[in-house]
Amino acid sequence: MNGTINMQSGNLCLNGYNADEQTELLEAENMVLGAVFLEPSIIHELILEPQHFFQRGIQFIFKAMLELRQQERMIDMITMMDQLGTGKLQAIGGISYLSWLSVTCPSAANVEEYQRIVLEHFKNRELKRVAADFLNNGSMEDAERFYQTYIHMQELGRVHKDTKQDVIMEIYDEMYEDHGDIQGIDTGYVSLNQMTSGWNKGDLIILAARPSVGKTAFALNLAMNCCKKGGVVDLFSLEMPNKQLVKRMLSNLTGIDGAKWRNSYRLFTEEDRAKATTALEIYYKWNFQIDDHSTQTVSDIRARIQKTRREFPDSDYLVVIDYLQLISVTGKHDRHDLAIASITQELKRIAKQYQVPIILLSQLSRGVEQRIDKRPRMSDLRDSGSIEQDADVIMLLYRDEYYNRENEENKIIEIEIAKQRNGPVGTVKMVFEREVGVFVDVLDTKKKSLHNEL
């Protein structure tokens, strides 16, 4: 679609629009520019960009207005003529057209409504364009492009509902009302709750460690703790199959050594079978879904999150993804780190949009193995630049037993909170019962693991 001005007749040909739509769109676009001429300071309140306008001439004019704003110059007829230059001025219809625009808007009071109309028409044009590409070509790449455009169009122009007064009242209420120690989703561990106040909705949480240190086991514990409190969990496992993960959770619940599940028929005692049956009933009642497809894109993850949030709009909801480097990349990227950046950026947007904390597992580079002190650092994260930037919380796991085989009695695992956007950093220590996959808070000496109750 394209809008072209006929300089002789002054008519505008709008392909794809009926008469009423033409009138609404033309008036809205003209009124936006007229409002800026009337009250130039309004340009600072607009979120529009030149490509959002349909009329080519209006695009030129608005671009010139934005350039004047950038230069901190006044917006009026003289400065606009200077900024446009003779060539573009003639292309849009000359001084007479610019003069007409400058007086076309009687009041700037409704500029937000004019902006909304312009954005809605732009969204529809973009969706029709990418839908046509998909219908004409039918490729999966075009389908992905349509989906991504649809998501982007949903976000475009969305205004935050909290007013200044709303924020002030919330802060005031917090000063006089005890909301407890946990502001987000309960982690299930006293020391971790003290550090984080729980998992905040909208946060992207990175959990990183070397292979076999225990990051998947810890993520399972966090997910199970959410379900024990009545929450909802989606776990995306790109490496480990569903059944294997469930067996790990059953070992956690029952205290049955994980090795026995390889041949439970022969190795289980009658007591083991009774505990396992009870644990299966508990797991069945949880709102815990595991997606173990080995090829997952961010769009696949988003679709599942959207579905779950729609089904459980008011529930505590936790997402776990195991792990970052196995997520399938869509689109073309010049470098691998840019591909990873596109994934973490999109996951952060999803967490914020659906108000769900996302725990994203990640690998650490081999560089940690070359140091005397094997404790990981944020710089050990693979493609660490984008991860560090997008993450709200970064947790790094270290287990001395992993490196010192002679120290097998040492079951302590250190969870270093290396970054926390809205809280302190520091180390939390836990006991890791590796055979059953249970993490026990060192500070919570009175804690009973659930398998002792079965």
Side-chain angles (χ1 to χ4, degrees):
M1 296 183 195
N2 193 18
T4 57
I5 296 179
N6 184 317
M7 300 308 170
Q8 284 72 37
S9 64
N11 294 328
L12 190 72
C13 177
L14 296 172
N15 299 327
Y17 283 95
N18 61 40
D20 291 338
E21 290 172 336
Q22 285 187 36
T23 301
E24 179 185 57
L25 178 56
L26 292 182
E27 287 186 354
E29 292 192 350
N30 293 339
M31 287 296 182
V32 168
L33 268 61
V36 176
F37 275 118
L38 192 63
E39 294 186 21
S41 61
I42 281 179
I43 191 73
H44 297 284
E45 302 175 18
L46 300 176
I47 63 171
L48 291 168
E49 297 178 13
Q51 67 269 23
H52 295 153
F53 294 92
F54 189 90
Q55 304 174 69
R56 184 62 55 85
I58 295 289
Q59 291 177 3
F60 289 152
I61 296 169
F62 192 73
K63 184 174 183 292
M65 287 179 167
L66 293 180
E67 291 168 348
L68 289 174
R69 182 185 70 179
Q70 183 69 24
Q71 299 164 19
E72 298 183 355
R73 295 171 63 191
M74 186 64 179
I75 299 175
D76 56 29
M77 279 292 297
I78 303 301
T79 57
M80 284 295 296
M81 290 167 60
D82 177 62
Q83 189 65 29
L84 284 166
T86 305
K88 286 185 179 177
L89 189 61
Q90 293 303 317
I92 64 170
I95 297 175
S96 59
Y97 179 63
L98 202 62
S99 299
W100 175 79
L101 275 178
S102 68
V103 297
T104 192
C105 183
S107 169
N110 295 323
V111 69
E112 288 188 4
E113 177 63 14
Y114 305 145
Q115 176 174 252
R116 184 195 65 78
I117 294 171
V118 172
L119 283 175
E120 287 302 313
H121 280 280
F122 170 74
K123 292 177 185 180
N124 287 334
R125 291 198 303 275
E126 282 295 287
L127 288 173
K128 288 177 182 178
R129 181 181 62 81
V130 292
D133 289 341
F134 172 64
L135 291 174
N136 291 331
N137 302 321
S139 69
M140 290 305 297
E141 188 173 325
D142 287 314
E144 173 67 17
R145 189 177 297 112
F146 174 76
Y147 181 75
Q148 291 296 337
T149 302
Y150 171 73
I151 296 299
H152 178 62
M153 292 302 107
Q154 280 187 319
E155 292 297 308
L156 183 62
R158 179 175 290 183
V159 179
H160 201 278
K161 293 182 180 179
D162 288 343
T163 65
K164 184 177 181 179
Q165 184 178 355
D166 292 332
V167 173
I168 290 173
M169 290 305 298
E170 285 181 15
I171 294 173
Y172 182 83
D173 289 342
E174 287 174 2
M175 292 191 295
Y176 291 95
E177 183 179 349
D178 185 5
H179 293 275
D181 296 328
I182 302 175
Q183 303 300 316
I185 296 175
D186 192 347
T187 69
Y189 300 105
V190 173
S191 55
L192 200 55
N193 282 338
Q194 289 175 347
M195 291 285 286
T196 64
S197 295
W199 306 128
N200 293 315
K201 297 175 181 178
D203 277 3
L204 178 62
I205 303 149
I206 302 296
L207 175 59
R210 291 293 293 152
S212 301
V213 167
K215 60 180 181 291
T216 299
F218 186 51
L220 281 176
N221 276 254
L222 297 173
M224 293 169 68
N225 290 342
C226 178
C227 286
K228 289 174 187 177
K229 298 287 186 177
V232 180
V233 170
D234 274 324
L235 191 155
F236 298 89
S237 177
L238 286 77
E239 185 176 42
M240 195 175 297
N242 189 335
K243 187 188 294 185
Q244 192 172 340
L245 289 169
V246 174
K247 286 180 178 179
R248 282 194 174 200
M249 287 190 284
L250 295 175
S251 283
N252 183 300
L253 290 170
T254 61
I256 298 173
D257 192 315
K260 284 188 173 184
W261 289 97
R262 296 176 183 174
N263 194 338
S264 57
Y265 178 79
R266 293 188 177 184
L267 298 178
F268 272 19
T269 64
E270 287 303 316
E271 183 182 5
D272 290 338
R273 289 189 177 86
K275 286 183 176 181
T277 300
T278 303
L280 283 167
E281 292 173 356
I282 292 172
Y283 173 68
Y284 179 74
K285 293 176 182 178
W286 284 350
N287 289 315
F288 195 127
Q289 297 297 324
I290 299 174
D291 189 332
D292 63 354
H293 287 88
S294 57
T295 55
Q296 294 269 7
T297 65
V298 173
S299 295
D300 296 329
I301 294 170
R302 178 192 284 273
R304 177 68 206 184
I305 290 173
Q306 188 176 33
K307 181 176 183 293
T308 301
R309 181 47 89 196
R310 187 166 58 246
E311 292 177 0
F312 303 95
D314 301 318
S315 298
D316 283 342
Y317 176 32
L318 181 67
V319 171
V320 178
I321 305 172
D322 187 8
Y323 56 91
L324 169 61
Q325 285 76 17
L326 291 180
I327 297 176
S328 299
V329 178
T330 57
K332 296 180 180 180
H333 302 276
D334 295 334
R335 302 194 313 267
H336 179 67
D337 63 316
L338 296 178
I340 293 296
S342 70
I343 292 173
T344 56
Q345 288 167 8
E346 188 62 23
L347 288 176
K348 172 57 187 173
R349 279 195 287 266
I350 292 171
K352 188 175 180 180
Q353 179 182 356
Y354 296 101
Q355 285 296 285
V356 55
I358 296 178
I359 298 178
L360 175 62
L361 278 60
S362 176
Q363 289 182 338
L364 293 176
S365 67
R366 296 180 183 273
V368 70
E369 312 289 350
Q370 312 303 320
R371 298 195 302 266
I372 296 176
D373 183 1
K374 309 296 186 184
R375 286 175 173 80
R377 307 165 185 165
M378 279 201 292
S379 58
D380 295 318
L381 286 163
R382 288 192 176 180
D383 311 296
S384 60
S386 62
I387 299 175
E388 289 180 34
Q389 179 179 331
D390 297 324
D392 297 285
V393 179
I394 296 178
M395 297 186 293
L396 307 174
L397 271 57
Y398 170 79
R399 183 160 54 90
D400 188 66
E401 180 194 358
Y402 178 82
Y403 295 101
N404 302 313
R405 301 298 181 184
E406 297 177 358
N407 194 13
E408 292 184 359
E409 297 301 318
N410 182 6
K411 295 184 177 181
I412 297 295
I413 189 166
E414 299 176 11
I415 302 163
E416 182 191 356
I417 300 179
K419 174 187 176 181
Q420 187 169 198
R421 204 183 299 276
N422 299 307
V425 295
T427 301
V428 172
K429 293 185 178 181
M430 294 189 187
V431 174
F432 179 31
E433 300 175 12
R434 188 156 51 94
E435 294 76 11
V436 293
V438 171
F439 283 73
V440 180
D441 197 330
V442 170
L443 297 181
D444 189 12
T445 55
K446 296 181 180 180
K447 181 179 175 64
K448 290 183 179 180
S449 55
L450 182 56
H451 66 252
N452 289 329
E453 300 175 6
L454 294 182

